[in-house]
Amino acid sequence: MKNIMDAPFLTEMRRTTANMYRLGWDERNGGNISCLLQSEEVGRYIDIDSAVREIPIGFEAKELAGRIFIVTGTGRYFKNVQDDPENNLGIIRIAPDGRTARLLWGYKDGGKFTSELPAHLMSHMARLKVDPENRIIMHCHPTHTLAMNYVHELDERKFTHTLWEMCTECIVVFPDGVGVLPWMLCGTNSIGEATAEKMKEFRLVIWGMHGIYGAGKTMDETFGLIETVEKAAQIYMLTAHLPRINTIKDSELRELAEFFGVKYREDFLN
Ligand code: 13P
Ligand code: ZN
């Protein structure tokens, strides 16, 4: 067996959590990431058939039986993942009944996966149906996106339209727009179900006055989606209180989407 500390998927989780922390998106234990792994790849580092312990997941994820994920731990600080991955991360395999997670590695001091596991696994199930290559679900609390939640209507058409207007490349990066959920109690199956429902049509979902969820094939793609929303929200927050003299017009947004050949939410334009 190879040393798991050299596994590219572990390095990627360490680097990404550190980067997100540095950007201020993940204060204290805020945020969580889950990444779907290939069993052959994990099998080079650890025995994927032997569980350290079993942890109930609180709902049924039968469609994901046998699937392996690396997931951030609940209550764990993103700032600490880089130096101490074995306590702050875990590799879990969904048991055949879909109700239990077998811990293969990590959460060494007795911890467990994020309290948002329902939203993660339910979102994986939803996104895998749209894109079988989807691997990442990422949640965080980006400052300007969150600030915008307090001063902008929480309507997904209007919210997406405003973001698209803030940076020329937004409509190219997330032509499918941003889904928006109202404030809901986090850490529950209900918010998980609502998020997964939105994930059927969006790769980005705002949790009203809480944060954002992103989904993608790779860590870079998912991170880049959230990063682009956050940049647009920052421009909005820097300008919303000032008289608007210029804007990107809907005809220009259409021109951009057509030039870059992206399938965009035409119904989100005026
Ligand atoms: P966890 O520490 O359980 O991952 O929760 C953090 C969070 O952001 C809740 O939404
Ligand atoms: Zn959160």
Side-chain angles (χ1 to χ4, degrees), residues 29-32 72-76 114-116 139 141 186 207 210:
N29 65 307
N32 20 77
T72 52
T74 185
R76 299 314 165 112
T114 172
S115 59
E116 305 296 0
H139 166 60
H141 308 157
C186 55
W207 276 12
H210 178 141

Side-chain angles (χ1 to χ4, degrees), residues 186-216:
C186 55
T188 60
N189 288 347
S190 314
I191 201 167
E193 284 153 12
T195 309
E197 192 54 38
K198 292 287 179 200
M199 285 279 180
K200 290 180 182 169
E201 53 175 326
F202 300 104
R203 289 172 300 157
L204 286 159
V205 180
I206 299 278
W207 276 12
M209 288 155 287
H210 178 141
I212 191 165
Y213 266 75

Side-chain angles (χ1 to χ4, degrees), residues 120-214:
H120 280 257
L121 294 188
M122 290 178 195
S123 294
H124 276 288
M125 292 192 263
R127 286 310 304 172
L128 284 167
K129 289 195 184 99
V130 183
D131 177 359
E133 286 181 28
N134 192 87
R135 287 175 53 238
I136 313 286
I137 300 292
M138 185 182 282
H139 166 60
C140 56
H141 308 157
T143 313
H144 302 91
T145 308
L146 200 42
M148 187 171 160
N149 277 218
Y150 290 86
V151 296
H152 192 285
E153 269 178 88
L154 289 177
D155 168 276
E156 56 206 17
R157 198 193 79 86
K158 290 181 186 161
F159 204 92
T160 300
H161 189 269
T162 300
L163 292 174
W164 281 351
E165 281 179 322
M166 292 299 121
C167 308
T168 291
E169 292 184 8
C170 277
I171 195 168
V172 182
V173 175
F174 54 94
D176 40 348
V178 175
V180 177
L181 288 176
W183 184 91
M184 289 179 77
L185 187 61
C186 55
T188 60
N189 288 347
S190 314
I191 201 167
E193 284 153 12
T195 309
E197 192 54 38
K198 292 287 179 200
M199 285 279 180
K200 290 180 182 169
E201 53 175 326
F202 300 104
R203 289 172 300 157
L204 286 159
V205 180
I206 299 278
W207 276 12
M209 288 155 287
H210 178 141
I212 191 165
Y213 266 75

Side-chain angles (χ1 to χ4, degrees), residues 9-122:
F9 54 80
L10 190 65
T11 305
E12 192 172 48
M13 287 291 278
R14 293 167 77 176
R15 286 174 55 181
T16 306
T17 45
N19 204 10
M20 292 169 77
Y21 172 70
R22 192 179 52 78
L23 288 165
W25 299 356
D26 299 277
E27 74 293 343
R28 200 175 182 273
N29 65 307
N32 20 77
I33 308 179
S34 61
C35 171
L36 174 60
L37 303 174
Q38 302 285 352
S39 18
E40 310 80 64
E41 194 189 0
V42 186
R44 287 187 211 120
Y45 302 92
I46 51 174
D47 179 357
I48 62 167
D49 295 311
S50 102
V52 182
R53 54 193 159 96
E54 304 216 335
I55 314 172
I57 62 176
F59 65 99
E60 199 188 282
K62 220 166 181 164
E63 289 167 46
L64 297 175
R67 301 276 206 153
I68 302 175
F69 297 88
I70 185 162
V71 188
T72 52
T74 185
R76 299 314 165 112
Y77 294 21
F78 271 27
K79 78 178 175 67
N80 296 338
V81 176
Q82 176 78 56
D83 290 340
D84 187 9
E86 204 167 355
N87 277 320
N88 295 299
L89 300 174
I91 299 178
I92 57 168
R93 188 173 193 188
I94 310 302
D97 66 358
R99 301 201 141 270
T100 315
R102 294 180 169 161
L103 179 64
L104 305 182
W105 177 89
Y107 308 141
K108 196 146 187 258
D109 55 6
K112 62 180 271 192
F113 41 72
T114 172
S115 59
E116 305 296 0
L117 196 73
H120 280 257
L121 294 188
M122 290 178 195

